[in-house]
Amino acid sequence: EIIIMSSYFIPSPFFRNNIIKALKKGVKIKLILTGISDVGIAKYAERYLYRWAVRHGIEIHEYNHNILHGKIAVADGRIVTIGSYNINDISALASIELNLDVEDLAFAGIVHQQLMKIINNDCNRISPISIIRSYRTSERLLQWMSYETVRLLFTLFTFYFSKKRKTK
C-alpha cells in the first residue's frame, strides 16, 4: 500500500507507468489531493487525470479544509518520504527539491495512522461514478485544456534542464 499526499499531482507518463506497474503487482494506492487550490489551472489539470486514476483502481481523496501544500508518502507502513517534491515535471526536472526518506517502522506507522485519520475525517472520497456524473462536457473540456496547457508549460520550463541531463 502507498498513500501519497501531494499538492500538485500531475505525474509525467514515466511516473504514471511506474504507478501502473505497482498496481499490477497488487499495490493499493491512495491519493490525498487538495480540493481547494491556489493555482486553479493546476487543479483543473489534476482533475483531468482523475479518470485515469480511478480507471486503474487508485483511490482519490480531496482535502477540503484549506489549501493543501503537504508532500508526504508512506509505503507499506515502513518507509516515509517527506519534503518539497511535488509529483510533476517541474519538481522532477527544474526545481531544487528536497525530500527526506525515513525507513522506520514506528515512524511510518504513526504517519500511516495520521494520513488515514486525514482521509477518514478531513477528505471527500472521489468515486468513479462521481467523476462521470459531476463533470459536464464543458468542465471536462476545461480540464483537458488545462492539462494540455500545464503539460506545454512544463515542457517549456523543463526543456533546458532535461537537455542538460541527457548530455551528462
Side-chain angles (χ1 to χ4, degrees):
E1 177 186 60
I2 301 172
I3 302 173
I4 300 170
M5 176 186 278
S6 179
S7 48
Y8 304 106
F9 186 80
I10 307 171
S12 66
F14 173 79
F15 199 95
R16 287 196 311 266
N17 287 336
N18 283 316
I19 289 172
I20 290 169
K21 286 177 188 176
L23 291 164
K24 286 180 179 178
K25 292 179 182 177
V27 176
K28 294 188 184 333
I29 299 177
K30 297 177 184 179
L31 302 175
I32 302 170
L33 306 175
T34 189
I36 304 166
S37 182
D38 56 345
V39 183
I41 192 170
K43 187 64 207 173
Y44 275 104
E46 183 178 82
R47 283 194 176 133
Y48 176 74
L49 293 173
Y50 281 14
R51 284 184 289 298
W52 168 83
V54 298
R55 189 172 58 244
H56 287 81
I58 298 169
E59 282 186 29
I60 302 172
H61 304 270
E62 280 190 346
Y63 180 82
N64 288 307
H65 286 279
N66 51 33
I67 296 170
L68 171 71
H69 276 286
K71 295 130 180 128
I72 190 168
V74 62
D76 296 331
R78 64 181 189 87
I79 300 173
V80 174
T81 186
I82 185 169
S84 62
Y85 185 89
N86 288 299
I87 299 175
N88 61 46
D89 281 346
I90 295 291
S91 285
L93 300 171
S95 295
I96 297 173
E97 305 288 359
L98 178 66
N99 267 42
L100 177 65
D101 296 338
V102 179
E103 190 169 351
D104 180 88
L105 289 174
F107 180 68
I110 291 167
V111 171
H112 183 270
Q113 284 179 331
Q114 291 300 309
L115 290 176
M116 288 306 297
K117 185 176 175 184
I118 290 168
I119 286 171
N120 293 327
N121 298 329
D122 302 319
C123 293
N124 296 324
R125 170 103 188 256
I126 305 299
S127 71
I129 301 237
S130 71
I131 290 171
I132 294 165
R133 291 186 180 162
S134 65
Y135 299 131
R136 298 179 309 275
T137 302
S138 59
E139 193 158 3
R140 287 184 192 161
L141 180 60
L142 182 58
Q143 290 170 352
W144 174 79
M145 288 175 16
S146 297
Y147 176 74
E148 292 299 330
T149 301
V150 166
R151 272 192 34 193
L152 175 63
L153 291 172
F154 282 176
T155 300
L156 293 173
F157 288 143
T158 62
F159 178 77
Y160 168 77
F161 299 101
S162 61
K163 282 284 197 197
K164 192 173 180 180
R165 282 186 182 192
K166 288 179 185 175
T167 61
K168 287 185 176 183

